[in-house]
Amino acid sequence: MTQNIDWKAEAAKRKDAYLEDLFDLLRIDSVRDDDNATDEAPVGPGPKEALEAFLALGERDGFTTKNVDNWAGHIEYGDGDELMGVLAHVDVVPTGTGWETDPFEPVIKDGRLYARGSSDDKGPGMAAYYALKMIKDLDLPVSKKVRFIIGTDEESEWKGIKHYLKTEPEPDFGFSPDASFPIINGEKGNATVFIETKGAVDGGSEELVQFEAGLRPNMVPQEAVAVVKSKNPEAIQAGLADFVDGLPVSGVAAVDGDQVTIEMTGKAAHGSKPASGVNAATYLARYLSDFDFAKDAKAFLELTMLYLHDDPEGEKLGIAVTDAIMGELTSNPGVFSFKANEGGKITVNMRYPQGTTEEALFETFKTKLSDYDLTLSKANGKEPHYVPANDPLVTTLLDVYHRQTGLEAHEMVIGGGTYGRLMKRGVAFGAMFPDSVDTMHQANEFMAIDDLMKSMAIYAEAIYELIK
Ligand SMILES: [Zn+2]
């Protein structure tokens, strides 16, 4: 009687074996390593070794496995016309500094498992594998095929999984155990536009020598610096205190001969949530726009002030759009640079809901900024992805989650991207719980062992419900 399976008890029986296999996997340094990449190890020896180790577990446990050119692979179970996918990854982000233990020697302390990859994504991935193994051990009747698919380059460019999908079929539905519960059934689209100016600065009382701000397109610039050559640099220095008064920025200016250097400080935030930050670059451009710049320097500062400043939802650019389910478009002008006589460049990253397209956004930029002498270009982005809340995949996963945890189960849309979007009916499902501490990509990454065991039980029931 499959209805009577105590999934949590079945998971608990497998805890020691699960941790032993997980420890072996965590000991492999599987950071992408292009310097040592070969045809045999396309993103480096570590990700290949981790992929092979995972597939070897599948062989050991009696599953059919397939390694697709060391880019990705799968462990397969069941049979039927429909194919379910469970998509995890074995690559990890670089360790960085600040670790109190060896990031590749797992340590359990106070119920927490510390290691690079413990929460992203080896811990949850191994829990999902053990969930599949549980269904096989219990010899439960299934009517569909399921593939546990292992990628090797999730943290960078998704090269491995994209290579895999060139020769292997896209699963009909499935989930990725690589984010949060209760579920992520929607991901906004991601578009990036580059605005480039030429570098002429002469003709005004002020000349913009240099302007720099921002580290990455997906971060709100916390610091911005401009160097201005001026007939009256003291005036630019003197006006700054009044300007920042009452604004959420601070600024300092230093005069050296006929030049003044202005540093503006705002507040960093993730680029998908620009309203949570304070963009130092657009405030600095707003301030400098009160002075007499000319030509391309003037255009660089003025378009920033008019169309990018204080505009996290893209209203000034005319790109604002809101969807009842996916929410509003967000716009983050994340990187700025200008050098006199060379040119300027502004990178604007947007996360957009259903209801617009990357092409439409780009056309609006062209129209809005047509008065300026600019070169506009765009990066290859990602479309919005949404699986409706009433899709049986979503309702089944949420039912299982609620039944096992008693926690509120509801749909969620994020601005980021997960493997869920690789399948038309694909979502992300766990393994972070609402009260988990998110240490992904950080020093001392950990995952609570209880959370891993809870997720194993949830995954087992969920996979079984979807393939029975
Ligand atoms: Zn991940």
Side-chain angles (χ1 to χ4, degrees):
M1 288 301 291
T2 53
Q3 286 89 337
N4 294 332
I5 292 170
D6 183 340
W7 299 99
K8 288 178 192 167
E10 291 294 335
K13 283 184 207 167
R14 291 161 176 82
K15 182 176 173 180
D16 290 348
Y18 162 75
L19 288 175
E20 197 179 320
D21 285 342
L22 177 56
F23 271 47
D24 287 344
L25 188 64
L26 290 168
R27 287 192 177 107
I28 301 170
D29 173 352
S30 51
V31 176
R32 176 168 158 168
D33 180 6
D34 288 337
D35 290 344
N36 291 297
T38 62
D39 287 350
E40 286 292 297
V43 282
K48 170 180 180 275
E49 188 188 343
L51 171 65
E52 288 174 335
F54 220 140
L55 294 175
L57 298 181
E59 289 287 327
R60 177 197 68 188
D61 296 333
F63 290 100
T64 305
T65 69
K66 183 166 185 177
N67 182 340
V68 181
D69 307 325
N70 290 332
W71 277 112
H74 66 237
I75 297 171
E76 182 180 298
Y77 183 65
D79 219 343
D81 295 334
E82 267 191 281
L83 175 64
M84 177 185 183
V86 178
L87 276 66
H89 65 89
V90 287
D91 57 305
V92 294
V93 291
T95 55
T97 55
W99 283 79
E100 286 166 21
T101 59
D102 180 345
F104 297 111
E105 185 49 53
V107 172
I108 295 175
K109 202 180 150 205
D110 301 330
R112 294 167 163 183
L113 171 57
Y114 288 86
R116 172 59 84 223
S118 54
S119 70
D120 183 11
D121 180 39
K122 290 173 176 173
M126 189 64 78
Y129 171 69
Y130 263 76
L132 186 60
K133 181 167 147 47
M134 202 185 299
I135 293 166
K136 181 173 178 292
D137 291 348
L138 294 170
D139 204 16
L140 300 176
V142 302
S143 67
K144 292 166 192 162
K145 185 183 282 185
V146 51
R147 282 180 176 170
F148 177 75
I149 301 170
I150 303 153
T152 57
D153 185 36
E154 197 278 340
E155 299 295 359
S156 303
E157 297 177 85
W158 294 19
K159 278 182 170 180
I161 198 74
K162 284 176 181 165
H163 181 92
Y164 172 93
L165 288 169
K166 278 182 203 154
T167 55
E168 297 298 316
E170 175 190 318
D172 297 300
F173 65 93
F175 70 82
S176 176
D178 190 24
S180 313
F181 290 119
I183 199 167
I184 288 157
N185 58 316
E187 299 176 6
K188 288 180 186 174
N190 188 331
T192 303
V193 170
F194 306 101
I195 303 168
E196 287 174 85
T197 70
K198 297 193 183 76
V201 297
D202 59 300
S205 309
E206 269 75 48
E207 288 185 8
L208 187 60
V209 178
Q210 197 173 348
F211 188 110
E212 298 292 337
L215 303 173
R216 293 171 66 177
N218 66 1
M219 289 173 72
V220 174
Q222 175 157 308
E223 316 283 346
V225 182
V227 180
V228 176
K229 189 175 161 193
S230 173
K231 295 195 169 113
N232 187 1
E234 284 78 11
I236 297 178
Q237 182 187 38
L240 188 61
D242 268 355
F243 173 78
V244 300
D245 187 35
L247 294 178
V249 284
S250 59
V252 290
V255 173
D256 181 9
D258 64 352
Q259 290 196 351
V260 54
T261 300
I262 310 111
E263 291 176 28
M264 197 74 84
T265 302
K267 180 167 170 272
H270 194 277
S272 65
K273 294 176 180 169
S276 307
V278 176
N279 192 316
T282 68
Y283 273 98
L284 180 53
R286 168 70 195 84
Y287 176 59
L288 293 177
S289 296
D290 286 343
F291 297 90
D292 180 32
F293 291 87
K295 296 190 180 157
D296 298 309
K298 179 181 165 72
F300 181 89
L301 296 170
E302 184 182 282
L303 79 86
T304 300
M305 173 187 75
L306 291 178
Y307 296 105
L308 303 176
H309 176 55
D310 194 18
D311 195 28
E313 297 181 10
E315 281 165 18
K316 294 174 184 172
L317 272 169
I319 54 172
V321 54
T322 301
D323 174 77
I325 293 160
M326 302 194 87
E328 73 284 355
L329 174 144
T330 60
S331 167
N332 178 50
V335 185
F336 291 74
S337 76
F338 186 94
K339 279 203 176 71
N341 306 315
E342 289 181 25
K345 185 171 183 179
I346 302 168
T347 304
V348 185
N349 178 247
M350 292 151 285
R351 310 297 169 107
Y352 63 98
Q354 305 173 107
T356 189
T357 62
E358 187 180 88
E359 201 52 52
L361 295 173
F362 188 57
E363 288 305 314
T364 308
F365 269 79
K366 282 192 200 163
T367 311
K368 267 289 186 211
L369 301 178
S370 60
D371 287 349
Y372 297 100
D373 180 17
L374 305 171
T375 306
L376 295 177
S377 57
K378 63 184 175 72
N380 279 330
K382 289 174 181 161
E383 307 258 295
H385 175 75
Y386 181 67
V387 182
N390 63 2
D391 186 295
L393 171 69
V394 177
T395 56
T396 302
L397 294 177
L398 288 179
D399 281 352
V400 171
Y401 171 78
H402 177 69
R403 193 153 60 234
Q404 288 205 20
T405 64
L407 297 170
E408 195 192 338
H410 52 82
E411 68 173 330
M412 290 202 296
V413 174
I414 59 169
T418 78
Y419 272 177
R421 66 159 56 243
L422 291 166
M423 298 166 281
K424 192 160 178 291
R425 287 178 65 214
V427 299
F429 185 53
M432 299 258 302
F433 289 88
D435 64 352
S436 302
V437 183
D438 182 354
T439 54
M440 290 186 184
H441 298 201
Q442 298 173 27
N444 304 307
E445 176 181 350
F446 73 85
M447 184 110 182
I449 302 221
D450 281 352
D451 285 354
L452 290 165
M453 296 310 296
K454 279 194 285 180
S455 65
M456 187 196 297
I458 292 170
Y459 289 149
E461 184 176 0
I463 295 171
Y464 177 62
E465 285 295 322
L466 290 165
I467 64 170
K468 71 180 180 186

